[in-house]
Amino acid sequence: YTGSAGWMYNVGIEQILGFNKYADKILFDPSIPADWREYKIRYRYNETIYNITVKNPNGVNRGVKRIVVDSIESEGNVLQLVNDAREHNVDVIMG
């Protein structure tokens, strides 16, 4: 069972919640049940905290319409991480 924790992390965090980190970026690609309306992730990147809320207002299974970081909206599903020792609020809107 030595590899089971790694597989559970992969399935839960990456495949279901769609949280995929690549260097200084997070690619969001959730694959969740349609009745999940929201979930939250608190992520620390060096000295910076990201409070991430994934919202599913239309009850879809996949797809990210936009990301809003500290009230600034962008298209797509990639979040550029910065290490500025601040706390950021991120809304990932599925659709």
Side-chain angles (χ1 to χ4, degrees):
Y1 295 116
T2 58
S4 61
W7 280 106
M8 287 301 294
Y9 177 87
N10 180 273
V11 169
I13 301 295
E14 295 178 1
Q15 303 299 317
I16 296 172
L17 298 182
F19 184 92
N20 300 283
K21 184 174 177 299
Y22 301 99
D24 62 347
K25 294 179 176 65
I26 298 174
L27 169 72
F28 291 98
D29 187 23
S31 180
I32 61 172
D35 61 348
W36 285 17
R37 294 299 180 193
E38 178 178 295
Y39 61 89
K40 297 181 180 191
I41 300 171
R42 185 171 170 92
Y43 181 71
R44 181 179 177 162
Y45 177 69
N46 298 318
E47 293 85 34
T48 303
I49 300 293
Y50 287 88
N51 298 307
I52 302 166
T53 303
V54 178
K55 298 179 179 182
N56 187 9
N58 299 320
V60 298
N61 293 92
R62 296 196 72 142
V64 172
K65 184 188 292 187
R66 67 183 182 273
I67 295 176
V68 181
V69 181
D70 299 328
S71 301
I72 299 171
E73 187 173 325
S74 65
E75 296 286 324
N77 64 340
V78 177
L79 171 65
Q80 178 67 51
L81 299 171
V82 294
N83 184 28
D84 59 6
R86 295 179 41 217
E87 194 162 320
H88 298 280
N89 294 309
V90 180
D91 290 325
V92 178
I93 313 301
M94 294 180 65

